[in-house]
Amino acid sequence: AQRVTQPEKLLSVFKGAPVELKCNYSYSGSPELFWYVQYSRQRLQLLLRHISRESIKGFTADLNKGETSFHLKKPFAQEEDSAMYYCALLSYFNKFYFGSGTKLNVKP
Amino acid sequence: DAGITQSPRHKVTETGTPVTLRCHQTENHRYMYWYRQDPGHGLRLIHYSYGVKDTDKGEVSDGYSVSRSKTEDFLLTLESATSSQTSVYFCAISGSASGKPGELFFGEGSRLTVL
């Protein structure tokens, strides 16, 4: 069965520090993985997807099939990065499954 | 933002009453989803639709039913609301009319409180 795990409920870092939000998945097929973000009082929105291999707002994520991970990284955190982050997996029958989310708090 | 709206945005109801949440889209997207968001659980898929009158269960479908009689509307019904269904409900849409699902576009959420 498919599963997405985000082990950290809360991650607090200081502005300018590197940040890594962890995501692990289990899936028997070829995974399509995404990161979604929810800023305060805003809708959930796509941050990035592994297929496009792009960097959005300085964030990157690499799919590691050997470790079944898709960790989100940013070298220098900014206060405006404070938000709720969800890792998501596109599974069979076009269903999206989400992790439990990590709240990132960037302190000044 | 994609053209997706949810109604009502807030609702307080009593245990045992029926509740219907509506998701309306103007994007002609094929796929529509209902999620619930709870602390510690993240987003959990309740039901989804892959076309008119085509629906399937998600992870937490017990106590919920859905209907999609036309492309633009996806209804979520709680036949007899319970306190455990107090949550924030999100609708999401994806995929062009003929394509695979890609990016999910979310509604603003509907906060339901069951007393």
Side-chain angles (χ1 to χ4, degrees):
Chain A
Q2 63 286 320
R3 186 177 178 86
V4 178
T5 303
Q6 294 180 250
E8 304 134 331
K9 289 186 178 180
L10 174 65
L11 188 61
S12 287
V13 301
F14 284 102
K15 177 183 173 182
V19 62
E20 180 180 51
L21 287 78
K22 292 184 169 52
C23 172
N24 289 90
Y25 68 91
S26 63
Y27 185 59
S28 56
S30 182
E32 286 191 53
L33 287 152
F34 305 78
W35 276 98
Y36 281 83
V37 61
Q38 187 176 28
Y39 300 104
S40 180
R41 299 188 187 87
Q42 293 188 28
R43 301 185 189 212
L44 274 149
Q45 58 188 281
L46 178 68
L47 181 62
L48 54 82
R49 67 181 82 187
H50 90 271
I51 288 179
S52 60
R53 302 183 63 82
E54 57 191 343
S55 173
I56 303 294
K57 298 184 179 182
F59 285 97
T60 59
D62 290 318
L63 176 61
N64 186 323
K65 291 187 178 181
E67 296 182 358
T68 60
S69 68
F70 188 55
H71 303 329
L72 183 68
K73 300 178 184 179
K74 184 170 183 177
F76 307 104
Q78 303 299 314
E79 290 182 68
E80 56 264 31
D81 296 328
S82 295
M84 194 75 180
Y85 291 80
Y86 292 97
C87 183
L89 167 73
L90 177 56
S91 180
Y92 299 110
F93 307 116
N94 305 315
K95 297 180 184 181
F96 285 85
Y97 290 92
F98 286 78
S100 54
T102 298
K103 184 174 182 179
L104 176 63
N105 180 33
V106 181
K107 298 175 283 188
Chain B
D1 289 334
I4 174 170
T5 55
Q6 294 183 226
S7 60
R9 295 288 316 285
H10 301 273
K11 186 171 182 66
V12 179
T13 191
E14 294 188 350
T15 299
T17 59
V19 176
T20 295
L21 305 180
R22 179 182 183 235
C23 178
H24 179 78
Q25 61 145 329
T26 58
E27 304 295 321
N28 199 34
H29 278 44
R30 177 181 178 185
Y31 300 93
M32 299 185 76
Y33 305 79
W34 276 109
Y35 288 89
R36 58 178 291 174
Q37 183 184 46
D38 304 288
H41 293 279
L43 289 159
R44 291 181 291 176
L45 181 63
I46 305 172
H47 282 281
Y48 88 118
S49 169
Y50 49 97
V52 174
K53 296 187 180 179
D54 292 323
T55 65
D56 197 7
K57 295 179 179 181
E59 305 166 89
V60 290
S61 58
D62 287 347
Y64 302 94
S65 62
V66 290
S67 66
R68 191 173 179 194
S69 59
K70 45 187 178 179
T71 300
E72 55 266 35
D73 289 326
F74 191 34
L75 304 180
L76 176 70
T77 297
L78 292 66
E79 302 289 348
S80 178
T82 67
S83 58
S84 64
Q85 293 175 312
T86 293
S87 187
V88 180
Y89 291 85
F90 286 96
C91 178
I93 61 176
S94 182
S96 62
S98 59
K100 285 185 61 176
E103 177 180 356
L104 280 172
F105 296 96
F106 283 87
E108 293 180 286
S110 296
R111 183 176 295 274
L112 175 67
T113 301
V114 183
L115 301 175

